[in-house]
Amino acid sequence: MTAQLIDGNALSRQLRTEVAQRAAALKTRGTTPGLAVVLVGDNPASQVYVRNKVKACEDSGLHSVLEKYDADMSEAALLARVEALNNDPAIHGILVQLPLPAHIDAQKVIEAISPAKDVDGFHIASAGALMTGMPGFWPCTPYGCMKMLESIGYDLRGKHAVVIGRSNIVGKPMALMLLQKDATVTICHSRTADLKAQTLQADVIVAAVGKRNVLTADMVKPGAVVLDVGMNRNDEGKLCGDVDFEGVKSVAGWITPVPGGVGPMTITMLLVNTLEAAERAAGA
Ligand code: GUN
């Protein structure tokens, strides 16, 4: 058996077309959705990410502002910028790119963002809303994974989902989203005693560790859905995920490739959240 691919590029195109249409409709009512992206320092990966986010906004008719600051910017100065953006009516979403330089307390900066503009979904108010099923913004990467499952018509009710990784950005929110759709959820991590014993039970596996070959073919139940959140480089310098794609695709029922899987969905869900923030602000 060869797994069917869940194409993140194709699904992103479809969702971004919908975003563009809704943004255009909102514009005719006097509101252009606006995203502010704040980058402190010159981390090369972050520079690529923020450029892609700003470009995606432009392509979908969203207004975006990129604010770049030197690595020695003070925490107080950054907090003051966040406060100014909180009060800027042209800005509906605020994203402070992580990681921040070590002298800045990232959590403090995240908590300074107005929850109404927290399109990354990293604020504790957003995390609390997700946990309790209240309206709020969901972190973009796990949200994108949920959209991918929805796109193949996958019904999570009563299914066993195994999430590998327990980060605040992916693993933990992913588990809560799967739980909200009535899956039975197991969270595995670096201290899990027997990862293979867990993944072999899974109908759905989300790999979000940041390490190559965390999931291999012998660890997957035939027909399982495998979502690969990883972004790594192999020995040849080629982009690869956490999953041994070549091996696992012969066992799984569905699988996301890297690149072209979860990655584009993360930016797409940022656009969706920004649009949603603007619609809420406009009372739409
Ligand atoms: N750094 C890596 N991924 C992300 C993300 O999704 N949001 C922010 N703010 N920083 C990141």
Side-chain angles (χ1 to χ4, degrees), residues 49 53 95-99 120 122 266:
Y49 290 143
K53 289 169 187 180
L95 182 150
V96 179
Q97 186 66 25
L98 304 178
D120 253 335
F122 294 170
T266 297

Side-chain angles (χ1 to χ4, degrees), residues 160-162 197-205 219-225:
H160 188 186
V162 169
Q198 299 296 330
T199 56
L200 275 174
Q201 304 289 320
D203 302 302
V204 177
I205 303 171
M219 301 168 73
V220 178
K221 182 164 84 173
V225 181

Side-chain angles (χ1 to χ4, degrees), residues 26 31 89 91-92 116-117 275-284:
L26 199 60
T31 301
I91 295 300
H92 305 95
K117 298 190 177 187
L275 173 70
E276 184 81 28
E279 286 179 343
R280 287 181 202 170

Side-chain angles (χ1 to χ4, degrees), residues 20-233:
Q21 286 164 353
R22 277 166 64 188
L26 199 60
K27 224 184 256 187
T28 64
R29 301 179 42 204
T31 301
T32 300
L35 173 71
V37 179
V38 181
L39 175 63
V40 183
D42 45 19
N43 181 307
S46 292
Q47 288 182 341
V48 175
Y49 290 143
V50 300
R51 216 181 305 133
N52 290 342
K53 289 169 187 180
V54 167
K55 165 120 185 11
C57 282
E58 283 167 6
D59 291 347
S60 294
L62 273 59
H63 166 64
S64 68
V65 181
L66 174 56
E67 296 193 8
K68 282 184 171 180
Y69 298 104
D70 292 339
D72 62 358
M73 182 190 210
S74 72
E75 183 183 276
L78 179 56
L79 290 170
R81 276 315 302 151
V82 169
E83 189 54 27
L85 292 167
N86 282 340
N87 295 319
D88 184 342
I91 295 300
H92 305 95
I94 302 170
L95 182 150
V96 179
Q97 186 66 25
L98 304 178
L100 286 168
H103 68 277
I104 297 178
D105 180 343
Q107 197 57 39
K108 193 166 164 188
V109 174
I110 290 166
E111 300 315 328
I113 296 170
S114 162
K117 298 190 177 187
D118 177 36
V119 289
D120 253 335
F122 294 170
H123 196 288
I124 48 168
S126 303
L130 169 60
M131 188 179 151
T132 52
M134 301 293 285
F137 293 109
W138 285 6
C140 301
T141 299
Y143 192 8
C145 290
M146 294 304 285
K147 284 284 173 194
M148 295 181 109
L149 291 172
E150 198 182 302
S151 77
I152 60 166
Y154 195 83
D155 183 359
L156 282 160
R157 256 181 308 179
K159 296 294 199 317
H160 188 186
V162 169
V163 179
I164 315 174
R166 55 174 157 178
S167 70
N168 290 336
I169 294 177
V170 184
K172 282 189 240 175
M174 184 80 253
L176 289 168
M177 290 174 201
L178 293 162
L179 181 63
Q180 197 178 94
K181 293 289 181 192
D182 297 327
T184 301
V185 182
T186 303
I187 305 178
C188 297
H189 46 80
S190 53
R191 305 284 178 203
T192 295
D194 188 347
L195 179 61
K196 181 176 171 179
Q198 299 296 330
T199 56
L200 275 174
Q201 304 289 320
D203 302 302
V204 177
I205 303 171
V206 182
V209 175
K211 219 170 82 186
R212 281 163 56 194
N213 297 332
V214 159
L215 192 75
T216 47
D218 57 307
M219 301 168 73
V220 178
K221 182 164 84 173
V225 181
V226 176
L227 305 180
D228 190 350
V229 176
M231 278 268 234
N232 313 299
R233 299 260 169 203

